[in-house]
Amino acid sequence: MPAWSIDRIPDLTGRTAIITGANSGLGVHTARALTRAGAHVVLAVRDVTKGAEAAAALPGSHEVRRLDLADLASVREFADSWDGDVDLLINNAGVMIPPEGRTKDGFETQFGTNHLGHFALTNLLLPRVTDRVVTVASTAHRYVRGINFDNPNFTGAYNAQRAYGQSKLANLLFVLELQRRLTEAGSPVRAFAAHPGYAATNLQNHSPSAALRLLMRVGNRIVAQDAEAGALPTLYAATQDLPGASYLGPDGLFEVRGGPTLVSRSAAASDSAAAKKLWTLSEELTGTGFPLAKAS
């Protein structure tokens, strides 16, 4: 059979999608495909000027709203300002191997942005979500064997690669526990994860190591697929009928490139006890929690 493509996305007229980090990379290609299919897409971005520039090149119905996932006050402001249903929430934004830093709330940059910001956003918007939540993860979740619950913010000795791997592991554990809670609450909403394989985006340009940046530039040219192809697993998860908690990625060798398919997680990313523990920690750190009551 031919590989799945955006031409097979169903008609999304009348549906609303929020995409975080939709001004570049995977996010803007995800936005373009969904607007072409008829959805109204909200580009939730930190820099609204860049967001407007990206939106100007999109077809269909769209708007730009400010959202800084590294600032929980901004996350709350975005959620509080939302009126109406959200058919599809795509947790796409992220940072990858930046210099050591902290979010406005004092969290390690990657854990705070990639996981905690999306955790808070999802829980705050969840009463309005009608269909599904898709969170963009990475094969880098295999970099670590588990969440460092004693020191999730890597206080002291800092390793950017390990911190990135932990944030991506957190994404997968979040999806696992979110789906468990949705099922327990009797909600029809489903949670999915997707990863782009090795996709050439601007994420690879932020490492403090010049050697690593050079290596990534070479990899982008020789090994990586383009961002449009990298967005396909996210789009597949966003539009196809799949079991809750499914994880999508490329079907090629080592999941580096190819068409979207169901892929496996590491053992650490399948640990339901760790997923519950991370959820409790994330509630404590963000002051947000699961908003849906259990089914009677």
Side-chain angles (χ1 to χ4, degrees):
M1 293 181 63
W4 189 85
S5 69
I6 59 173
D7 295 332
R8 296 169 68 179
I9 293 175
D11 181 14
L12 300 178
T13 300
R15 296 169 69 79
T16 297
I18 295 174
I19 307 174
T20 66
N23 61 291
S24 64
L26 303 176
V28 74
H29 287 288
T30 302
R32 182 174 292 110
L34 295 181
T35 54
R36 282 177 175 168
H40 174 71
V41 174
V42 178
L43 288 75
V45 298
R46 187 180 62 221
D47 187 327
V48 293
T49 300
K50 292 182 178 178
E53 291 172 354
L58 296 179
S61 177
H62 48 75
E63 63 181 285
V64 178
R65 295 197 185 193
R66 185 179 184 277
L67 170 65
D68 184 354
L69 290 162
D71 180 359
L72 291 177
S74 176
V75 175
R76 288 184 178 278
E77 182 179 357
F78 181 94
D80 289 345
S81 69
W82 188 263
D83 185 25
D85 290 338
V86 182
D87 298 286
L88 175 60
L89 172 61
I90 300 181
N91 294 323
N92 164 81
V95 291
M96 178 181 175
I97 318 179
E100 182 176 5
R102 292 289 182 267
T103 68
K104 290 189 177 180
D105 302 282
F107 308 127
E108 186 275 321
T109 300
Q110 296 175 101
F111 185 65
T113 303
N114 299 351
H115 169 60
L116 292 175
H118 282 128
F119 176 90
L121 178 69
T122 301
N123 280 308
L124 291 169
L125 288 177
L126 199 56
R128 298 183 178 276
V129 177
T130 64
D131 186 4
R132 64 188 73 190
V133 177
V134 179
T135 299
V136 177
S138 169
T139 55
H141 80 273
R142 299 180 185 275
Y143 291 175
V144 294
R145 295 182 179 180
I147 302 295
N148 186 346
F149 286 107
D150 295 328
N151 186 17
N153 290 304
F154 284 82
T155 303
Y158 182 70
N159 183 301
Q161 286 86 354
R162 286 178 59 81
Y164 180 65
Q166 175 179 259
S167 74
K168 295 289 101 179
L169 173 59
N171 288 155
L172 284 168
L173 291 174
F174 163 65
V175 169
L176 191 67
E177 178 62 9
L178 175 59
Q179 184 59 59
R180 188 193 70 80
R181 288 169 178 259
L182 289 167
T183 300
E184 187 177 68
S187 171
V189 175
R190 287 172 289 176
F192 303 109
H195 81 81
Y198 188 174
T201 71
N202 59 9
L203 274 183
Q204 289 94 341
N205 298 327
H206 302 298
S207 171
S209 167
L212 185 56
R213 290 197 303 273
L214 176 60
L215 180 63
M216 288 182 172
R217 283 198 295 271
V218 173
N220 281 355
R221 291 185 177 183
I222 298 175
V223 180
Q225 58 186 0
D226 60 28
E228 184 175 8
L232 290 179
T234 299
L235 289 164
Y236 193 92
T239 63
Q240 303 303 297
D241 187 17
L242 298 162
S246 293
Y247 184 29
L248 286 300
D251 62 4
L253 185 65
F254 303 120
E255 300 172 20
V256 170
R257 55 194 301 156
T261 190
L262 291 168
V263 294
S264 64
R265 302 165 169 82
S266 69
S270 305
D271 187 337
S272 58
K276 292 177 183 178
K277 187 174 181 179
L278 176 63
W279 190 282
T280 299
L281 174 64
S282 302
E283 286 185 332
E284 294 171 353
L285 293 176
T286 66
T288 65
F290 187 72
L292 307 183
K294 294 181 181 179
S296 59

